[in-house]
Amino acid sequence: MEIEEREPVSAGPGRAVPPGHRPEEPVGEQSPESSGPRRSPLTRRSLIAAVAGCAVLGGVLVLLPSPDRGGAPRPAPGPVARAASAVGAGVPAALPDLDALVQDREARVRARPRDDVSWAVLGVAYTERARRTAAAAYYPKAEKALRTSLTLRPGDNVAALEGLASLAGARGDFRAAKQWGEAAVKLAPKRWTAYAGLVDAYTGLGDYKAVGRALDKLLALPSGPAAQAVAARVYRDRGRREDAAAVVSDAAAGAATPSGQAAFLTLAGDLAWERGDRQESLDHYRAAVNTDADAYDALAGQGRALAALGRTSEALRAYRAALARRPVPRYALELGELYDKLGLGAAARVQYDLLRELVRRDAAAGVDDEPVLGLFEADHGDPQAAVKALRAEWERQPGIAVADALGWALHRAGNKEALGFAVRATDQEHGGGVRSALYAYHRGQIERDLGLSGPARRHLAEALRINPYFSPLLAPAAREGLTALGEPPAGGPPEESGTSEDPGGPADSEQPGRSQGSGPSRQPDAPAGAAGSDGASGAEGPAPVSAAPSPSAR
């Protein structure tokens, strides 16, 4: 977020008070007493030349080393200046620097409570502190600081509007992020930072045409590595993984701070993980942590990659370290599922209890964790409760992650609407081309339990093709499901002819299905779909044996 400089104090229409001017002196006019004798044109030209020469000499002297410093360079910026520069450029600041910035701005607003700029910077720093450490209590403090800034300067306070958009995005409230972001763009259409927040807001709301328009405007403006990271996320969601990887590589090379570089390396690790490259993703995550020890997302990424490589003890240590430093529900779910895979049910339940506690804590601070909680409840808790919560979430913000989670919860609860939402999450027409192993797996299992063997086979194979290691529980279940389905019949499967979904939306889907009931949670290593598929008769049948999903990642 860029903080704008204050305009000079006005001295009347078309005038500005120059620095050092005394209020009793008129600006831009000479009093009769001070006018002095009139000078000839030659004298005036000589004086102008002398003044110009002094200005040039002064500029040269500024560039020369200061004699009392012995030619030493100017001191590097301190932690407060570094953090302010980072948050202004939309990149992560080092946590010690961020703490220094928070303390500095807290002191400033205590001394000058009407300083709207300091209130805005403080609000942005609080938001970044909460996002980096999952200290959710900072979110209400950020909102109070930013609204105070907006109250003090309501007319043209772009900094506070951008800060409120960023805060809403960090909380997962994409409708509010859109509202604040669009207000900021209206006031300052040439500031790239406002468009960055809007891209994430439109993505969360499932408005992919608006995503494209906002990204085009963002990339047309002078920006920096942070804008490249935004573009990379959009390219990834459109299925353009090579473009995303290239842009992230450029962003990491152009990063001005270790914290910024670590953030881009983490994103590079995410891209490598999503395409199933375990070692490359681990290398990126390790490089991120080596660059910035506070890159907690990269620590969790190491746990994911190490588990896929079979290095379980190291994976558990990485997950525990990440969860201790940045306690978010997603880490607790992933660690719990890894314990489940290892047959350590008691340890898994500890993580699941922690997940619920973290969701309650976040909700009290205005953070929306419903997609992760819904996936958890669908397989480890109460699918009907998951459906109720996710339906409300879909009404608020119908993004792809919510469509996937709701479709899976509906499936686990035995509701025939499930396939329509799974189609919404996986088809290019609706999702803009996102390629997710988790989404493909969910759709394949739903189709399998509806007796749609051909599409089920195709989507389960697609999940493993995208990332053969996407989950310690689900990847084996996908392979077992494919084995149970067997080879397609010669001449093509007859059921494929009637499986096309109405692209109008999940609510219009009338695919046949079985009433499954919620049933108990699946044992970790039970084969997916072991109960079999007896077609689309609509008869009552046993709950499908299904693996517990890992949380969806954008």
Side-chain angles (χ1 to χ4, degrees):
M1 183 192 72
E2 298 176 356
I3 303 299
E4 26 179 60
E5 296 294 332
R6 293 295 194 91
E7 295 294 330
V9 179
S10 175
R15 298 179 183 175
V17 176
H21 177 73
R22 295 198 304 273
E24 66 272 13
E25 295 177 347
V27 179
E29 297 179 1
Q30 281 190 319
S31 65
E33 295 79 10
S34 63
S35 60
R38 298 180 59 86
R39 296 183 174 89
S40 69
L42 178 60
T43 303
R44 286 198 299 271
R45 286 196 294 269
S46 300
L47 286 172
I48 292 170
V51 170
C54 289
V56 173
L57 177 60
V60 172
L61 291 175
V62 167
L63 297 175
L64 291 176
S66 176
D68 59 348
R69 295 181 181 271
R74 293 187 178 185
V80 172
R82 289 196 302 265
S85 176
V87 298
V91 297
L95 282 181
D97 292 354
L98 195 60
D99 290 339
L101 178 62
V102 166
Q103 293 170 12
D104 178 81
R105 290 307 187 269
E106 285 177 339
R108 285 199 187 190
V109 297
R110 280 194 298 267
R112 298 191 291 273
R114 299 193 63 79
D115 183 350
D116 61 273
V117 174
S118 290
W119 277 114
V121 174
L122 179 59
V124 173
Y126 279 150
T127 299
E128 180 68 2
R129 188 74 171 76
R131 189 188 65 79
R132 292 283 303 280
T133 64
Y138 278 98
Y139 285 126
K141 296 174 72 173
E143 182 172 3
K144 181 179 179 181
L146 290 164
R147 287 187 179 275
T148 300
S149 176
L150 198 60
T151 299
L152 291 169
R153 186 182 174 189
D156 60 345
N157 196 339
V158 180
L161 292 172
E162 286 186 4
L164 286 163
S166 176
L167 169 63
R171 282 171 153 174
D173 185 353
F174 299 114
R175 285 198 180 279
K178 174 187 174 183
Q179 173 191 350
W180 294 118
E182 288 180 344
V185 165
K186 185 176 180 180
L187 278 177
K190 299 300 183 182
R191 287 166 62 106
W192 71 268
T193 46
Y195 294 103
L198 274 179
V199 168
D200 291 337
Y202 292 141
T203 300
L205 293 172
D207 189 347
Y208 294 97
K209 290 182 179 179
V211 169
R213 291 193 299 268
L215 181 64
D216 289 344
K217 292 176 181 177
L218 167 62
L219 296 180
L221 295 170
S223 54
Q228 292 176 298
V230 174
R233 292 195 295 271
V234 174
Y235 296 155
R236 176 184 65 184
D237 290 347
R238 291 175 174 176
R240 296 166 53 185
R241 289 185 170 175
E242 294 79 7
D243 292 339
V247 170
V248 168
S249 178
D250 291 343
T257 65
S259 298
Q261 186 178 36
F264 303 136
L265 288 169
T266 301
L267 182 52
D270 292 342
L271 292 171
W273 168 254
E274 289 167 5
R275 65 175 180 265
D277 195 326
R278 299 169 294 175
Q279 188 60 53
E280 183 179 338
S281 68
L282 180 60
D283 291 343
H284 284 305
Y285 292 137
R286 281 182 166 165
V289 174
N290 289 339
T291 303
D292 178 10
D294 297 325
Y296 304 140
D297 265 351
L299 265 178
Q302 285 185 38
R304 209 174 296 126
L306 288 164
L309 288 164
R311 297 158 63 175
T312 307
S313 297
E314 295 174 79
L316 292 173
R317 285 196 296 272
Y319 268 127
R320 290 176 192 136
L323 194 54
R325 293 166 173 80
R326 187 173 184 258
V328 294
R330 179 167 58 93
Y331 298 171
L333 180 54
E334 291 185 16
L335 179 55
E337 288 178 345
L338 181 55
Y339 279 132
D340 256 343
K341 173 65 178 178
L342 298 172
L344 303 173
R349 286 190 293 275
V350 169
Q351 297 306 315
Y352 299 152
D353 289 342
L354 175 61
L355 181 150
R356 290 191 176 99
E357 179 185 336
L358 293 175
V359 169
R360 286 192 293 270
R361 176 209 67 178
D362 285 356
V367 179
D368 184 354
D369 291 322
E370 288 300 335
V372 174
L373 179 64
L375 286 173
F376 164 74
E377 291 290 355
D379 277 291
H380 301 286
D382 184 349
Q384 297 289 355
V387 168
K388 182 178 179 180
L390 289 168
R391 279 195 190 279
E393 184 77 359
W394 176 258
E395 290 298 319
R396 288 194 302 271
Q397 16 196 57
I400 294 304
V402 180
D404 170 72
L406 178 54
W408 188 243
L410 286 164
H411 170 65
R412 294 289 289 163
N415 190 307
K416 65 181 181 179
E417 293 179 76
L419 185 55
F421 283 97
V423 170
R424 170 79 67 160
T426 51
D427 274 9
Q428 285 193 357
E429 181 179 350
H430 300 112
V434 62
R435 298 188 69 232
S436 164
L438 178 66
Y439 298 174
Y441 170 81
H442 284 162
R443 180 172 178 176
Q445 285 288 49
I446 292 168
E447 289 166 334
R448 182 183 173 211
D449 285 307
L450 290 173
L452 305 175
S453 301
R457 187 181 293 110
R458 182 168 65 252
H459 289 113
L460 291 176
E462 181 184 359
L464 294 172
R465 187 166 56 250
I466 293 170
N467 182 358
Y469 319 100
F470 68 98
S471 163
L473 292 176
L474 301 188
R479 286 188 284 271
E480 291 162 358
L482 279 173
T483 300
L485 285 168
E487 294 296 324
E495 68 272 21
E496 292 215 37
S497 60
T499 61
S500 176
E501 299 306 314
D502 178 3
D508 299 326
S509 173
E510 295 295 336
Q511 290 298 321
R514 300 181 308 178
S515 175
Q516 297 159 320
S518 60
S521 294
R522 187 187 63 79
Q523 294 300 314
D525 295 316
S533 296
D534 41 346
S537 64
E540 181 75 11
V545 184
S546 166
S550 61
S552 93
R554 277 206 220 148

